[in-house]
Amino acid sequence: MTAESPSAAPPTDGSAELIGLDALGPTGTYRSRNRLPITDLAGVPLAELSLVPSLYVHRAIAALRAAEPLPAGDRLAALARAGEAFATETVGGLSVDEYSHAVSRISGMPIPVVRRATEGTWRALLGAGRNARQARPRASVDDWHDPATLGGRAVWTRRGEVFAVHAAGNHPGVHALWPQALALGYRVAVRPSRREPLTAHRLITALRAAGFGPDQVAFLPTDHTVADEIISAADLAMVYGGDDVVTKYGADPTVLVQGPGRSKILLAGEDWHRHLDTLVDSVGDEGGTACVNATAVFTDTDPDGLAAALAERLGAIPTLPPEDDRAVLPCQPSGPAAALERFLLDRAAGTTPRLGGAGITDPVPGGGVALRPAVFQVDRADAAQTGIELGFPCVWVAPWSPADGIGPLRHSLVLTALTHDEGLVDRLVAEPTISNVYVGDHPTYWMRPDVPHDGYLGEFLMRTKTVLRD
Amino acid sequence: MTTVHTDPILDGPVDRIPGETDLIEAAMRWHFDPQTGSRFWLGQADTLGFDPREDIHTVDDLARFPNIVDRLRYVPAGDLIPRGYAVQDGAVQDGAVQNGAVYGVYDSGGTTGPPKHVVFMMDWMERLLVRTDQEMDERHYPAAADWLALAPSGPHMYGAFVRETVRRRGRLGFTVDVDPRWVKKCIAAGRGEQASQYAEHVVAQARAVLETQDIAVLIATPPLLERLVRDEELRKLIADRVQVIEWGGAHMDPDTRYLLRTEVFPRARMVGRYGSTMILASAVERAGLAPDDPCIYDPFSPYITFRVVDPETGEPVPYGSRGRVVMNHVSKSAFLPNNLERDEATRIEPPPGQAGDSVADVAPVAVFGDSLVIEGVY
């Protein structure tokens, strides 16, 4: 695109100090006329996000598709450079500290979580090439030039050229995954969440500075009416969302849905006292905002005692503003938080509140409220509430017995099984709706980039084809 | 003796535009005189609480009328024809009309419910075409050229209006029919994919014309224009050949307008048109605006007038502020006052001599972004 971006124009409304989150399109930055103020917990604008129209989206994605990928070695080098800049340098005018502070004030994420995610994203970019290749079938090779193809061999190839990402805003760590697509030679368009567009902007700015041209990776914020256009214009897409998104895209083979986590913990024949730290951390680490946080705990012994102990430990977490170095709990503006509180208390009707039964919101200095932990106890393993996943430390404690089987444990991104029953573990590992099984004293949020999170991204992005040559 | 009612102001020469007060007072006399008014308006007269022939003189006064457009969904459309169009044989004959006086009957888009019916009279079409001719001259539309319109025929008036325009000042008028009612139905039912297939079907027909014919004027909706230019070959064909691209029928945001005028069609002239079935006309984009200027529309005043108001109070918003658009049509052929449209626009000072407001950057009433999602972590 050759149009002069109006970004050179001085701000007209005293917004000089706002963080400018311009679109990053095929000819560089693009400041649109339609801009969305991004506000902090108190409603104070901190940034301004350029929303692009569908015409811009289609032209940007056409430019990505027309571009050649960088050579593989250059891609990995640029990813590594970008990771270092993202995590240690000033990018787009923001130092790492300024970036972390702004993310915590806008999204309410505890700043220690932001910092850990920044480190994690750096590691993920360093390892993106290696991690992406974990998905490659052992019988295949990376390149048709490989001598193995002389006698006929599987070659691992892309399923398309342009990969679109509808990013989530719940946790900055979601941006650690999609750079694997760049490593595999895709050109990538990211539509950020308006809840937290800073991380995607920072990462893509760093990727461009590190050598990915404007026709390799794009930052395309849009309003919701244009959101679908990015998915339809790209070859493949990854979308984060709840059950509605699963319903909308679940049957589309070109869309990889990152749906609800509904991670769970099962204690079968294990005394919970010895595992309380792991249970508490699984619920509350990452501010309880991640899809890998435990939503429900099932136990075959003493659910009353377990619920009381969880309530005591989680209840002791202090209320702090998110930019505080000791913050653990997520915060939100008071309006959405009040709606969330009503939703929770409404759904919890008929259960036994152990913590948070009178409400979960607690004002913090500087505006907004902390979302305090909630512990509710249900009286049967198949209670519907055990599937209610909310973006703060909120856990449902349920009784379980072998007679309940694994039915109540289905539909889990992570299932931590504290048990020595190998037959039970067999069934959990075999269950298709459980994505990851951790046996023993491991928190549900345990992750390593070389093992799958919800399958390998490469399983979706790549395919094999036979190459036979003379 | 056979006479036809005429009025010196309402029936004045087509190139002489009456003043605001003259037109409105003459129209009130016409539409509320039992000899000349329509069955529809004469039936309303007693319920108004004021006498239009005494109390209504200006565009601002039209705000005293109720918004009657919802009734156009079910009243017999013939009741909208002023009795004064009938050949008079002493007694008034309801429903009679002089041969050749009616141009046609048309429907609104049906976005907000069952369609509204309006009657388009020949004398109004003539006035509109003369005015449109002048507007197109001022905007340097090529003469005697071939046009392609991707526009609705059927119950909508726009297709007929384009046909008349081309007959008057063009050569060949190629048309591809567009059925916006079907598209809206598909989208409302969540069948976006079908709407998309339909748009591709229209684009394929347009391509066949554009590839073989020397089209100098292209008419399309913004979504169809976007579809046309997704194919770079087709974009280049249009950009190289078409002199005027007229868009309307849907809104275009300022970012899209700027991109189209600068990058996509750097040479063609783009002209916006803001129409509504409820004014039996459209307002054309002001001549000479730069790509980054607000897209200002000046209506055919005093027949067609706009006001931009605060929808809560009905009071005008200050110039430069956003508000809802209220539209009026006042002519011999029809009277459609005080219709609060669903559109938002910026209130703009009118050019000298124009009654009411001009409007800019028309858009649907603001829709807020991602709705509040409560459950889930994303």
Side-chain angles (χ1 to χ4, degrees), chain A residues 325-353:
Chain A
D325 287 339
R326 300 159 298 162
V328 173
L329 299 174
C331 296
Q332 275 195 11
S334 46
L340 180 67
E341 184 176 73
R342 278 196 303 278
F343 177 86
L344 169 67
L345 297 180
D346 181 48
R347 292 303 168 91
T351 69
T352 306

Side-chain angles (χ1 to χ4, degrees), chain B residues 72 76-82 85 97 101-107 116-122 124 157 277 280 329 331 333-336:
Chain B
L72 304 182
D79 287 1
L80 300 171
I81 303 172
Y85 281 94
V97 62
V102 174
Y103 183 85
V105 60
Y106 296 103
D107 281 6
K116 302 180 278 263
H117 309 288
V118 294
V119 178
F120 214 99
M121 304 300 285
M122 284 298 286
W124 173 243
M157 72 172 58
T277 306
L280 307 169
H329 173 108
S331 71
S333 72
F335 179 50
L336 297 164

Side-chain angles (χ1 to χ4, degrees), chain B residues 3-5 10-11 30-31 35-37 80-88 93 96-102 120-124 127 331-334:
Chain B
T3 60
V4 176
H5 284 282
L10 298 178
D11 291 300
W30 171 263
H31 289 293
Q35 293 295 311
T36 54
L80 300 171
I81 303 172
R83 286 171 175 169
Y85 281 94
V87 179
Q88 303 292 307
Q93 258 189 295
V97 62
Q98 191 190 8
N99 281 344
V102 174
F120 214 99
M121 304 300 285
M122 284 298 286
D123 62 316
W124 173 243
R127 282 179 200 282
S331 71
K332 179 183 178 184
S333 72

Side-chain angles (χ1 to χ4, degrees), chain B residues 27-268:
Chain B
M28 293 305 108
R29 289 194 298 273
W30 171 263
H31 289 293
F32 292 94
D33 181 332
Q35 293 295 311
T36 54
S38 66
R39 174 189 281 246
F40 176 80
W41 275 115
L42 293 174
Q44 303 286 328
D46 289 343
T47 68
L48 295 174
F50 59 91
D51 181 351
R53 289 180 289 185
E54 292 293 326
D55 302 330
I56 301 298
H57 309 279
T58 64
V59 168
D60 286 346
D61 293 341
L62 297 176
R64 295 184 65 179
F65 282 93
N67 184 1
I68 52 82
V69 300
D70 277 333
R71 290 178 226 179
L72 304 182
R73 300 182 200 280
Y74 53 82
V75 296
D79 287 1
L80 300 171
I81 303 172
R83 286 171 175 169
Y85 281 94
V87 179
Q88 303 292 307
D89 291 314
V92 173
Q93 258 189 295
D94 246 334
V97 62
Q98 191 190 8
N99 281 344
V102 174
Y103 183 85
V105 60
Y106 296 103
D107 281 6
S108 66
T111 312
T112 51
K116 302 180 278 263
H117 309 288
V118 294
V119 178
F120 214 99
M121 304 300 285
M122 284 298 286
D123 62 316
W124 173 243
M125 177 59 95
E126 184 60 20
R127 282 179 200 282
L128 195 55
L129 287 171
V130 167
R131 161 75 171 206
T132 302
D133 230 9
Q134 292 165 356
E135 290 170 350
M136 290 182 173
D137 285 344
E138 287 162 15
R139 287 159 184 77
H140 310 292
Y141 280 51
D146 292 350
W147 294 43
L148 168 61
L150 317 182
S153 59
H156 304 298
M157 72 172 58
Y158 192 63
F161 174 71
V162 172
R163 187 174 63 235
E164 296 300 329
T165 306
V166 176
R167 187 184 315 215
R168 196 177 177 94
R169 61 173 297 130
R171 192 180 66 165
L172 300 177
F174 292 88
T175 54
V176 175
D177 197 13
V178 173
D179 184 347
R181 290 151 294 141
W182 176 247
V183 174
K184 286 169 188 163
K185 204 175 233 180
C186 287
I187 291 170
R191 301 194 309 265
E193 188 51 34
Q194 278 186 29
S196 181
Q197 285 167 6
Y198 181 73
E200 290 305 319
H201 168 62
V202 172
V203 166
Q205 295 172 75
R207 174 198 298 275
V209 175
L210 287 161
E211 283 178 346
T212 57
Q213 306 296 318
D214 189 16
I215 299 299
V217 180
L218 171 65
I219 296 176
T221 62
L224 285 171
L225 265 186
E226 280 195 39
R227 291 260 176 184
L228 288 171
V229 304
R230 278 183 204 168
D231 179 332
E232 176 58 19
E233 273 180 38
L234 197 49
R235 181 203 69 80
K236 197 163 179 317
L237 194 66
I238 298 168
D240 291 348
R241 193 177 291 177
V242 174
Q243 298 174 42
V244 173
I245 298 169
E246 196 182 281
W247 58 270
H251 310 283
M252 184 186 288
D253 65 88
D255 288 300
T256 298
R257 176 166 167 262
Y258 183 85
L259 288 171
L260 285 172
R261 287 188 54 167
T262 54
E263 274 188 24
V264 180
F265 302 123
R267 281 196 297 280

Side-chain angles (χ1 to χ4, degrees), chain A residues 229-396:
Chain A
E229 304 271 330
I230 297 182
I231 292 172
S232 61
D235 301 321
L236 296 173
M238 177 164 66
V239 183
Y240 292 81
D243 288 329
D244 53 331
V245 169
V246 176
T247 303
K248 185 171 179 184
Y249 294 112
D252 186 338
T254 69
V255 179
L256 178 65
V257 176
Q258 303 283 292
R262 294 182 180 143
S263 298
K264 302 177 184 72
I265 297 174
L266 170 67
L267 295 117
E270 283 283 313
D271 179 359
W272 58 258
H273 290 91
R274 293 175 44 223
H275 304 294
L276 190 56
D277 287 349
T278 297
L279 299 178
V280 169
D281 290 351
S282 293
V283 174
D285 203 78
E286 310 296 320
T289 61
C291 49
V292 290
N293 283 116
T295 298
V297 177
F298 297 81
T299 176
D300 63 354
T301 47
D302 189 23
D304 294 345
L306 171 54
L310 280 174
E312 186 190 342
R313 287 281 300 273
L314 290 166
I317 299 174
T319 292
L320 291 167
E323 69 275 16
D324 190 297
D325 287 339
R326 300 159 298 162
V328 173
L329 299 174
C331 296
Q332 275 195 11
S334 46
L340 180 67
E341 184 176 73
R342 278 196 303 278
F343 177 86
L344 169 67
L345 297 180
D346 181 48
R347 292 303 168 91
T351 69
T352 306
R354 296 293 187 173
L355 182 65
I360 49 137
T361 58
D362 192 11
V364 293
V369 296
L371 300 176
R372 295 209 45 84
V375 179
F376 288 86
Q377 192 175 345
V378 297
D379 59 7
R380 43 189 299 152
D382 60 357
Q385 284 90 348
T386 60
I388 296 176
E389 177 183 27
L390 299 172
F392 70 101
C394 175
V395 65
W396 308 89

Side-chain angles (χ1 to χ4, degrees), chain A residues 1-4 30 32-34 53-56 58-59 168 170 191 194-195 224 229 240-241 258-259 289 291 340 343 388-390, chain B residues 225-227 229-230 232 235 253-260 262-264 291-292 367-378:
Chain A
M1 300 194 182
T2 53
E4 184 79 1
Y30 176 78
S32 63
R33 289 145 194 80
N34 182 17
S54 63
L55 177 66
Y56 190 93
H58 281 276
R59 290 172 65 74
N170 63 308
R191 185 220 180 213
R194 66 172 195 167
R195 272 171 60 189
H224 74 289
E229 304 271 330
Y240 292 81
Q258 303 283 292
T289 61
C291 49
L340 180 67
F343 177 86
I388 296 176
E389 177 183 27
L390 299 172
Chain B
L225 265 186
E226 280 195 39
R227 291 260 176 184
V229 304
R230 278 183 204 168
E232 176 58 19
R235 181 203 69 80
D253 65 88
D255 288 300
T256 298
R257 176 166 167 262
Y258 183 85
L259 288 171
L260 285 172
T262 54
E263 274 188 24
V264 180
D292 221 8
V367 181
F368 294 102
D370 311 356
S371 55
L372 182 66
V373 176
I374 291 176
E375 189 168 352
V377 294
Y378 301 127

